[in-house]
């Protein structure tokens, strides 16, 4: 695993993520219940390969108020996590797996001295969602593929899930590698093989040579 020193949300970060399958794509690649390769994976591959052929966004992504709120609260939530747990949390750009296709952008990496020990996933949901998470007291099922994808990309043994709302107690769940992680790693390898095969076909049958692109 390599860590790219780019600022999350920056143009450089966007460029590095554009053609890679990241943890935010995990639910499109992995079935939440079984951790197997999803039928929707081929659709995502087409989207990622399109970025290889002609990088850039055709339509500006729409950010809801809830998403904006989450981004605004994330630094506060990260500081609260560090204070509550006493762990050394560092912000990071992009973690890339050895296959150079799969990646994740953790909300923090946790160090024990100089040793990378764990990762952190932060969510700052609306109050009713946060309360539901707290009452359940476990990793929300909708984030299971994302968290285990991050474990698979980084090779780490532990990932912390932190749901934060400023008016309620936080939810802290420690997720460890297990059989589901192994299934995600297997599905990830299958996905990478599909991606590479599709990319080679795209080079032959889809992409326009650069000199013709520039003339278009």
């Amino acid at each position: 695993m390599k860590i790219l020193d780019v600022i999350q949300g920056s143009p450089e970060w966007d460029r590095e993520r554009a053609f890679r399958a990241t943890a935010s794509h995990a639910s499109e690649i992995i079935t939440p219940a079984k951790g197997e390769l999803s039928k929707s994976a081929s659709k995502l591959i087409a989207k990622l390969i399109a970025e290889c052929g002609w990088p850039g966004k055709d339509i500006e992504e729409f950010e809801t108020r809830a998403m904006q709120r989450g981004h605004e609260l994330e630094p506060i939530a990260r500081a609260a996590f560090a204070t509550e747990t006493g762990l050394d949390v560092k912000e990071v750009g992009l973690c890339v797996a050895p296959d150079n296709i799969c990646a994740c952008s953790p909300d923090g990496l946790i160090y024990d001295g100089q040793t990378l020990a764990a990762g952190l996933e932060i969510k700052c949901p609306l109050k009713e969602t946060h309360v539901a998470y707290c009452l359940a007291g476990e990793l929300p099922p909708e984030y299971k593929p994302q968290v285990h994808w991050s474990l698979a990309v980084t090779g780490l043994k532990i990932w912390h899930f932190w749901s934060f709302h400023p008016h309620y107690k936080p939810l802290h769940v420690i997720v460890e590698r297990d059989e589901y992680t192994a299934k995600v790693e297997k599905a990830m390898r299958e996905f990478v093989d599909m991606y590479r095969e599709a990319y080679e076909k795209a080079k032959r049958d889809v992409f326009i040579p650069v000199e013709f692109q520039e003339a278009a």
Side-chain angles (χ1 to χ4, degrees), residues 67-82:
M67 293 167 63
Q68 291 174 352
R69 177 181 170 281
H71 291 153
E72 291 166 1
L73 283 174
E74 185 181 304
I76 300 171
R78 186 184 298 107
F81 174 84

Side-chain angles (χ1 to χ4, degrees), residues 131-176:
V131 169
Y133 290 167
C134 291
L135 290 174
E138 61 183 11
L139 176 66
E142 59 266 36
Y143 295 119
K144 189 174 182 179
Q146 181 178 4
V147 168
H148 285 270
W149 179 276
S150 297
L151 285 169
V153 165
T154 59
L156 291 169
K157 296 181 179 180
I158 294 174
W159 212 266
H160 295 260
F161 179 87
W162 182 255
S163 181
F164 177 84
H165 192 286
H167 299 147
Y168 299 90
K169 291 182 178 180
L171 171 67
H172 181 200
V173 179
I174 299 176
V175 182
E176 298 184 0

Side-chain angles (χ1 to χ4, degrees), residues 13-30:
W13 180 73
D14 281 335
R15 282 195 294 270
E16 292 291 350
R17 289 179 76 252
F19 63 93
R20 291 188 169 104
T22 67
S24 61
H25 297 126
S27 60
E28 300 176 65
I29 301 170
I30 307 297

Side-chain angles (χ1 to χ4, degrees), residues 39-53:
K39 292 180 180 179
S40 63
S42 58
K43 184 177 180 180
L44 175 64
I45 286 173
K47 178 182 177 181
L48 296 175
I49 288 178
E51 287 296 321
C52 297

Side-chain angles (χ1 to χ4, degrees), residues 1-10 13 17 74 78 88-96 103-111 116 118-122 150 153-154 156 159:
M1 187 267 291
K2 61 182 177 182
I3 300 175
L4 302 184
D5 186 20
V6 292
I7 298 173
Q8 291 193 24
S10 67
W13 180 73
R17 289 179 76 252
E74 185 181 304
R78 186 184 298 107
D88 180 16
V89 183
K90 300 186 184 301
E91 293 186 54
V92 64
L94 189 70
C95 298
V96 181
C104 65
S105 296
D107 294 319
L109 289 178
I110 297 167
Y111 284 80
L116 178 57
L120 172 63
E121 181 65 34
I122 295 172
S150 297
V153 165
T154 59
L156 291 169
W159 212 266

Side-chain angles (χ1 to χ4, degrees), residues 52-69:
C52 297
W54 190 275
K57 300 176 182 177
D58 291 332
I59 301 174
E60 288 296 321
E61 292 183 358
F62 177 72
E63 185 174 55
T64 66
R65 177 54 191 152
M67 293 167 63
Q68 291 174 352
R69 177 181 170 281

